Amino acid sequence: MEQQIVRLLGEHPEEGLSNAQLLQAVGDDSADGTDASSSVTEQLGAAINRLLAQGTIEMLRETVPTGEGAGGAGGFILRLKRGSQLNNASPEEQLVFSIIEESQRMGVWIRDIRERSGLNEVQLRRVLKALEQRKLVRSIKAAGTTKKTYILSGLEADDTLTGGTFYSDQQLDSEFVQTLLHVCVNWLLQRRRAAEEKHPGDPYAQREASFVESDEVARYIHEKGLCRIQLGVADVESVLDIAVLDGKIEKRLNHTYRAIRKQQLHPSPLASVPCLQCPVSAECTPGTGHLISPENCEYFRLHFDLMSTHRLLPSLPRLKVPIGHRPQRLKLPYIPNPRGHLELVRKLVNRVIREERCELKYNRAEECRQYVERLIQIGIYRGPNCAYTAEMFQWWFIEQDLVDKMWSILVPRFSHYPIDQSYTEIYRLPTIRLKSKVNKETEFWSRYSIAVLELKENPFPPMDDLEKLRKKNLVDYVEKELLRTEE
């Protein structure tokens, strides 16, 4: 009976056979409950138990395709045991190890292990913990998901799980990708310039010589030592494909690449005049007495309004305060960005305009200062009759008295300032250490950089004098302590 079962399972090595299929295969065709059928069933059960005890076969839960069963899991199937045999391992540990080993580099999700093994959650976690302690398997998290996947300890996970070379701790290293992208594009531009210098009068030869194969780019990155890890040709091609999508390089079917030089086009201002696309331009006649004329053309008026808006912003002088190349990550807990960023900055701007000297976190003060400078600058250079200035003040200042303060106090105060002088000052204070949260008996402390942002000519004592007074008081205090020690 055992040999017959092994032979039948050998004919179905992948999918295995269920108990009912084995009964039918060994000749139990009767379903009337006779003594003969009962004898065959008992013999089959005893043979299966002996083979399971010997480790010749294994039992797995059968998975029913979606839509054919209520829960997606059916009965059990039997198949020949595959993979390595563990020493001093329980049947459950051997079963789980075989399932993980079968998945190879792709790994297997913990829920799939539970469904295929038939173990409950407590048993499965105990078995997996034992296998991890013996360093037979390890758990990883797939990139972009929270799924816990198990794989053999000696195997390297597939790139579809880890994300490949450009992922670190299941997160895309975008800075690393951008650096490689910049290096590749610049090198391709150098190759194109070299090809143009080598073939000055032959455009076709210049084009053909400027195409570079992807393995050459990978070799260049390796020779220059730009990357600590070994990048394969496929990794380099994935970076180059990003540059292709960005329009920085072009690609041929033979996986060769060439840099693209973008020329700055300066279209004529007449290209945006609505008269060129107007369907009734032939009937347009200058003069106020005509139905269709430039004087009452709505599209003509919108065109000039748009042109005046484009002329407005470049006419303002540059801010005389340093602007960081990286925007501060400011946010409000109940408003998503970027709206939350603007709402927080608006609150800070209102506070600075009202109080004229505020103590803020340094990153907030640095971000708020730029907006305060621009609002004062717009008020000075555009005046109260400008519709753009009125619209900006109406949005940025929550209360009307701040608008009145701008026109009656701040704009006259700074109107005599030269163009190269700022209207605000910022002072960095010593870093403070504050308790951020308490978790049971553990206290967590955070350090904050503090700054003072103020408008110039405010009614408060100057910060420079306060700094001198602080130093003088510190010197006096030290002298008193020294005298007290000597006494």
Short mmCIF file of all heavy atoms in Angstrom, two decimals, residues 358-396:
data_model
loop_
_atom_site.label_atom_id
_atom_site.label_comp_id
_atom_site.label_asym_id
_atom_site.label_seq_id
_atom_site.Cartn_x
_atom_site.Cartn_y
_atom_site.Cartn_z
N CYS A 358 9.01 88.73 18.00
CA CYS A 358 8.45 87.43 18.40
C CYS A 358 9.59 86.45 18.62
O CYS A 358 10.62 86.50 17.94
CB CYS A 358 7.52 86.88 17.32
SG CYS A 358 6.08 87.91 17.01
N GLU A 359 9.37 85.58 19.55
CA GLU A 359 10.31 84.48 19.81
C GLU A 359 9.70 83.21 19.24
O GLU A 359 8.64 82.76 19.69
CB GLU A 359 10.56 84.34 21.31
CG GLU A 359 11.61 83.30 21.65
CD GLU A 359 11.92 83.25 23.13
OE1 GLU A 359 12.09 84.34 23.72
OE2 GLU A 359 11.98 82.14 23.68
N LEU A 360 10.36 82.63 18.23
CA LEU A 360 9.84 81.47 17.51
C LEU A 360 10.92 80.41 17.40
O LEU A 360 12.10 80.67 17.70
CB LEU A 360 9.39 81.87 16.09
CG LEU A 360 8.43 83.06 15.96
CD1 LEU A 360 8.33 83.47 14.50
CD2 LEU A 360 7.06 82.69 16.50
N LYS A 361 10.52 79.23 16.96
CA LYS A 361 11.51 78.24 16.56
C LYS A 361 12.27 78.78 15.36
O LYS A 361 11.71 79.46 14.50
CB LYS A 361 10.84 76.92 16.21
CG LYS A 361 10.23 76.20 17.40
CD LYS A 361 9.62 74.87 16.98
CE LYS A 361 9.00 74.15 18.17
NZ LYS A 361 8.38 72.87 17.78
N TYR A 362 13.55 78.45 15.29
CA TYR A 362 14.39 79.10 14.28
C TYR A 362 13.92 78.81 12.86
O TYR A 362 13.92 79.70 12.01
CB TYR A 362 15.84 78.65 14.45
CG TYR A 362 16.79 79.43 13.57
CD1 TYR A 362 17.26 80.67 13.96
CD2 TYR A 362 17.19 78.93 12.33
CE1 TYR A 362 18.11 81.41 13.16
CE2 TYR A 362 18.04 79.66 11.52
CZ TYR A 362 18.50 80.90 11.94
OH TYR A 362 19.33 81.62 11.14
N ASN A 363 13.51 77.57 12.59
CA ASN A 363 13.09 77.27 11.22
C ASN A 363 11.82 78.02 10.85
O ASN A 363 11.64 78.46 9.71
CB ASN A 363 12.91 75.76 11.04
CG ASN A 363 11.80 75.21 11.91
OD1 ASN A 363 11.54 75.72 13.00
ND2 ASN A 363 11.15 74.17 11.45
N ARG A 364 10.93 78.22 11.82
CA ARG A 364 9.71 78.98 11.54
C ARG A 364 10.02 80.46 11.34
O ARG A 364 9.44 81.11 10.47
CB ARG A 364 8.72 78.79 12.68
CG ARG A 364 8.22 77.36 12.83
CD ARG A 364 7.08 77.27 13.83
NE ARG A 364 6.51 75.92 13.86
CZ ARG A 364 5.39 75.61 14.50
NH1 ARG A 364 4.73 76.55 15.17
NH2 ARG A 364 4.93 74.37 14.48
N ALA A 365 10.92 80.98 12.16
CA ALA A 365 11.29 82.39 12.00
C ALA A 365 11.96 82.64 10.66
O ALA A 365 11.70 83.65 9.99
CB ALA A 365 12.21 82.80 13.15
N GLU A 366 12.80 81.71 10.23
CA GLU A 366 13.49 81.87 8.95
C GLU A 366 12.52 81.82 7.78
O GLU A 366 12.67 82.56 6.80
CB GLU A 366 14.56 80.78 8.81
CG GLU A 366 15.54 81.01 7.69
CD GLU A 366 16.60 79.93 7.66
OE1 GLU A 366 16.25 78.76 7.90
OE2 GLU A 366 17.78 80.25 7.41
N GLU A 367 11.52 80.95 7.86
CA GLU A 367 10.53 80.86 6.79
C GLU A 367 9.59 82.06 6.80
O GLU A 367 9.24 82.60 5.75
CB GLU A 367 9.73 79.57 6.96
CG GLU A 367 8.73 79.29 5.86
CD GLU A 367 9.37 78.71 4.62
OE1 GLU A 367 10.59 78.48 4.63
OE2 GLU A 367 8.65 78.49 3.64
N CYS A 368 9.19 82.50 7.98
CA CYS A 368 8.24 83.62 8.09
C CYS A 368 8.88 84.93 7.64
O CYS A 368 8.19 85.80 7.09
CB CYS A 368 7.76 83.73 9.54
SG CYS A 368 6.71 85.13 9.88
N ARG A 369 10.16 85.08 7.85
CA ARG A 369 10.83 86.35 7.53
C ARG A 369 10.71 86.71 6.06
O ARG A 369 10.50 87.87 5.70
CB ARG A 369 12.30 86.25 7.93
CG ARG A 369 13.05 87.56 7.80
CD ARG A 369 14.53 87.38 8.08
NE ARG A 369 15.22 88.65 8.08
CZ ARG A 369 16.54 88.78 8.11
NH1 ARG A 369 17.31 87.70 8.17
NH2 ARG A 369 17.10 89.97 8.08
N GLN A 370 10.79 85.73 5.18
CA GLN A 370 10.72 86.01 3.75
C GLN A 370 9.36 86.60 3.36
O GLN A 370 9.29 87.54 2.56
CB GLN A 370 10.96 84.71 2.97
CG GLN A 370 12.21 83.97 3.39
CD GLN A 370 12.25 82.57 2.84
OE1 GLN A 370 11.61 82.27 1.84
NE2 GLN A 370 12.99 81.69 3.50
N TYR A 371 8.28 86.06 3.95
CA TYR A 371 6.95 86.55 3.62
C TYR A 371 6.71 87.95 4.18
O TYR A 371 6.07 88.78 3.53
CB TYR A 371 5.90 85.57 4.16
CG TYR A 371 5.91 84.23 3.45
CD1 TYR A 371 6.72 83.20 3.88
CD2 TYR A 371 5.09 84.01 2.35
CE1 TYR A 371 6.73 81.97 3.23
CE2 TYR A 371 5.09 82.79 1.69
CZ TYR A 371 5.92 81.77 2.14
OH TYR A 371 5.92 80.58 1.49
N VAL A 372 7.22 88.21 5.38
CA VAL A 372 7.07 89.55 5.95
C VAL A 372 7.80 90.57 5.09
O VAL A 372 7.27 91.67 4.80
CB VAL A 372 7.59 89.56 7.40
CG1 VAL A 372 7.60 90.97 7.96
CG2 VAL A 372 6.74 88.66 8.29
N GLU A 373 9.00 90.24 4.66
CA GLU A 373 9.77 91.15 3.81
C GLU A 373 9.03 91.44 2.50
O GLU A 373 8.95 92.59 2.06
CB GLU A 373 11.14 90.54 3.51
CG GLU A 373 12.07 90.48 4.70
CD GLU A 373 12.84 91.79 4.88
OE1 GLU A 373 12.83 92.62 3.95
OE2 GLU A 373 13.43 91.97 5.95
N ARG A 374 8.48 90.40 1.89
CA ARG A 374 7.81 90.60 0.61
C ARG A 374 6.53 91.43 0.76
O ARG A 374 6.24 92.30 -0.08
CB ARG A 374 7.49 89.25 -0.02
CG ARG A 374 6.75 89.34 -1.35
CD ARG A 374 7.57 90.09 -2.40
NE ARG A 374 8.62 89.25 -2.95
CZ ARG A 374 9.56 89.67 -3.78
NH1 ARG A 374 9.60 90.96 -4.11
NH2 ARG A 374 10.48 88.85 -4.23
N LEU A 375 5.77 91.21 1.81
CA LEU A 375 4.54 91.98 2.00
C LEU A 375 4.85 93.46 2.23
O LEU A 375 4.17 94.33 1.67
CB LEU A 375 3.75 91.40 3.18
CG LEU A 375 3.09 90.04 2.94
CD1 LEU A 375 2.52 89.49 4.24
CD2 LEU A 375 1.98 90.16 1.90
N ILE A 376 5.86 93.74 3.04
CA ILE A 376 6.23 95.15 3.24
C ILE A 376 6.73 95.76 1.93
O ILE A 376 6.42 96.91 1.59
CB ILE A 376 7.29 95.26 4.35
CG1 ILE A 376 6.71 94.78 5.68
CG2 ILE A 376 7.79 96.69 4.48
CD1 ILE A 376 7.71 94.75 6.81
N GLN A 377 7.48 94.99 1.19
CA GLN A 377 8.03 95.48 -0.08
C GLN A 377 6.92 95.78 -1.08
O GLN A 377 6.96 96.80 -1.78
CB GLN A 377 8.99 94.44 -0.64
CG GLN A 377 9.80 94.89 -1.83
CD GLN A 377 10.66 93.77 -2.36
OE1 GLN A 377 10.17 92.85 -2.99
NE2 GLN A 377 11.96 93.84 -2.08
N ILE A 378 5.92 94.91 -1.16
CA ILE A 378 4.80 95.16 -2.07
C ILE A 378 4.06 96.43 -1.68
O ILE A 378 3.67 97.24 -2.53
CB ILE A 378 3.85 93.94 -2.07
CG1 ILE A 378 4.52 92.75 -2.74
CG2 ILE A 378 2.55 94.27 -2.80
CD1 ILE A 378 3.70 91.48 -2.67
N GLY A 379 3.86 96.62 -0.36
CA GLY A 379 3.17 97.82 0.08
C GLY A 379 3.93 99.09 -0.26
O GLY A 379 3.33 100.12 -0.60
N ILE A 380 5.27 99.04 -0.17
CA ILE A 380 6.07 100.23 -0.45
C ILE A 380 6.11 100.53 -1.94
O ILE A 380 5.92 101.68 -2.38
CB ILE A 380 7.49 100.05 0.12
CG1 ILE A 380 7.45 99.99 1.65
CG2 ILE A 380 8.41 101.17 -0.34
CD1 ILE A 380 8.78 99.65 2.28
N TYR A 381 6.35 99.52 -2.77
CA TYR A 381 6.59 99.75 -4.19
C TYR A 381 5.31 99.81 -5.01
O TYR A 381 5.33 100.34 -6.13
CB TYR A 381 7.50 98.65 -4.74
CG TYR A 381 8.94 98.82 -4.32
CD1 TYR A 381 9.41 98.25 -3.15
CD2 TYR A 381 9.83 99.56 -5.09
CE1 TYR A 381 10.72 98.40 -2.75
CE2 TYR A 381 11.15 99.72 -4.70
CZ TYR A 381 11.59 99.14 -3.53
OH TYR A 381 12.90 99.30 -3.14
N ARG A 382 4.19 99.27 -4.51
CA ARG A 382 2.96 99.26 -5.30
C ARG A 382 1.92 100.25 -4.79
O ARG A 382 1.08 100.70 -5.56
CB ARG A 382 2.37 97.84 -5.32
CG ARG A 382 3.22 96.86 -6.08
CD ARG A 382 3.37 97.30 -7.52
NE ARG A 382 4.47 96.63 -8.17
CZ ARG A 382 4.95 96.97 -9.35
NH1 ARG A 382 4.44 98.01 -9.98
NH2 ARG A 382 5.96 96.32 -9.89
N GLY A 383 1.94 100.52 -3.52
CA GLY A 383 1.02 101.52 -2.99
C GLY A 383 -0.37 100.98 -2.75
O GLY A 383 -0.71 99.86 -3.12
N PRO A 384 -1.24 101.79 -2.13
CA PRO A 384 -2.58 101.32 -1.76
C PRO A 384 -3.55 101.22 -2.93
O PRO A 384 -4.62 100.63 -2.77
CB PRO A 384 -3.04 102.39 -0.76
CG PRO A 384 -2.29 103.61 -1.14
CD PRO A 384 -0.96 103.15 -1.66
N ASN A 385 -3.23 101.77 -4.07
CA ASN A 385 -4.15 101.74 -5.21
C ASN A 385 -3.96 100.54 -6.12
O ASN A 385 -4.65 100.41 -7.13
CB ASN A 385 -4.00 103.03 -6.03
CG ASN A 385 -4.35 104.27 -5.22
OD1 ASN A 385 -5.25 104.23 -4.38
ND2 ASN A 385 -3.64 105.36 -5.47
N CYS A 386 -3.02 99.67 -5.79
CA CYS A 386 -2.74 98.49 -6.62
C CYS A 386 -3.70 97.36 -6.24
O CYS A 386 -3.82 96.99 -5.05
CB CYS A 386 -1.29 98.05 -6.44
SG CYS A 386 -0.86 96.55 -7.36
N ALA A 387 -4.39 96.80 -7.23
CA ALA A 387 -5.34 95.71 -6.96
C ALA A 387 -4.63 94.45 -6.47
O ALA A 387 -5.14 93.73 -5.61
CB ALA A 387 -6.15 95.40 -8.22
N TYR A 388 -3.44 94.19 -7.02
CA TYR A 388 -2.69 93.01 -6.60
C TYR A 388 -2.29 93.12 -5.12
O TYR A 388 -2.41 92.17 -4.35
CB TYR A 388 -1.45 92.87 -7.48
CG TYR A 388 -0.52 91.76 -7.06
CD1 TYR A 388 -0.81 90.43 -7.35
CD2 TYR A 388 0.66 92.04 -6.38
CE1 TYR A 388 0.05 89.41 -6.97
CE2 TYR A 388 1.52 91.03 -5.99
CZ TYR A 388 1.21 89.72 -6.29
OH TYR A 388 2.06 88.71 -5.91
N THR A 389 -1.82 94.31 -4.71
CA THR A 389 -1.43 94.51 -3.31
C THR A 389 -2.63 94.38 -2.38
O THR A 389 -2.53 93.76 -1.31
CB THR A 389 -0.79 95.90 -3.15
OG1 THR A 389 0.29 96.03 -4.07
CG2 THR A 389 -0.27 96.09 -1.74
N ALA A 390 -3.75 94.93 -2.78
CA ALA A 390 -4.95 94.83 -1.95
C ALA A 390 -5.39 93.38 -1.79
O ALA A 390 -5.81 92.95 -0.70
CB ALA A 390 -6.08 95.66 -2.56
N GLU A 391 -5.29 92.61 -2.86
CA GLU A 391 -5.67 91.19 -2.79
C GLU A 391 -4.72 90.41 -1.88
O GLU A 391 -5.16 89.56 -1.09
CB GLU A 391 -5.68 90.60 -4.20
CG GLU A 391 -6.12 89.15 -4.24
CD GLU A 391 -6.09 88.59 -5.65
OE1 GLU A 391 -5.78 89.35 -6.59
OE2 GLU A 391 -6.38 87.39 -5.81
N MET A 392 -3.43 90.70 -1.97
CA MET A 392 -2.46 90.02 -1.12
C MET A 392 -2.68 90.35 0.35
O MET A 392 -2.67 89.47 1.22
CB MET A 392 -1.04 90.40 -1.54
CG MET A 392 -0.64 89.88 -2.91
SD MET A 392 -0.42 88.09 -2.94
CE MET A 392 1.07 87.92 -1.99
N PHE A 393 -2.89 91.64 0.65
CA PHE A 393 -3.11 92.03 2.05
C PHE A 393 -4.40 91.44 2.59
O PHE A 393 -4.47 91.05 3.76
CB PHE A 393 -3.15 93.56 2.14
CG PHE A 393 -1.79 94.20 2.13
CD1 PHE A 393 -0.66 93.47 1.79
CD2 PHE A 393 -1.62 95.54 2.46
CE1 PHE A 393 0.59 94.06 1.76
CE2 PHE A 393 -0.37 96.13 2.46
CZ PHE A 393 0.74 95.38 2.10
N GLN A 394 -5.41 91.35 1.75
CA GLN A 394 -6.69 90.83 2.21
C GLN A 394 -6.58 89.35 2.60
O GLN A 394 -7.24 88.90 3.53
CB GLN A 394 -7.75 91.01 1.11
CG GLN A 394 -9.14 90.55 1.53
CD GLN A 394 -10.15 90.75 0.41
OE1 GLN A 394 -9.80 91.17 -0.68
NE2 GLN A 394 -11.41 90.44 0.69
N TRP A 395 -5.74 88.60 1.88
CA TRP A 395 -5.61 87.18 2.21
C TRP A 395 -4.66 86.96 3.38
O TRP A 395 -4.94 86.18 4.28
CB TRP A 395 -5.12 86.38 1.00
CG TRP A 395 -5.21 84.90 1.24
CD1 TRP A 395 -6.27 84.09 1.00
CD2 TRP A 395 -4.19 84.06 1.82
NE1 TRP A 395 -5.98 82.80 1.38
CE2 TRP A 395 -4.72 82.75 1.89
CE3 TRP A 395 -2.90 84.29 2.29
CZ2 TRP A 395 -3.99 81.68 2.40
CZ3 TRP A 395 -2.18 83.22 2.80
CH2 TRP A 395 -2.72 81.94 2.85
N TRP A 396 -3.52 87.64 3.37
CA TRP A 396 -2.50 87.35 4.36
C TRP A 396 -2.86 87.86 5.75
O TRP A 396 -2.51 87.23 6.74
CB TRP A 396 -1.15 87.94 3.92
CG TRP A 396 -0.44 87.04 2.95
CD1 TRP A 396 -0.40 87.16 1.60
CD2 TRP A 396 0.31 85.87 3.28
NE1 TRP A 396 0.33 86.13 1.05
CE2 TRP A 396 0.79 85.33 2.06
CE3 TRP A 396 0.64 85.23 4.46
CZ2 TRP A 396 1.57 84.18 2.01
CZ3 TRP A 396 1.43 84.08 4.41
CH2 TRP A 396 1.88 83.57 3.20
#
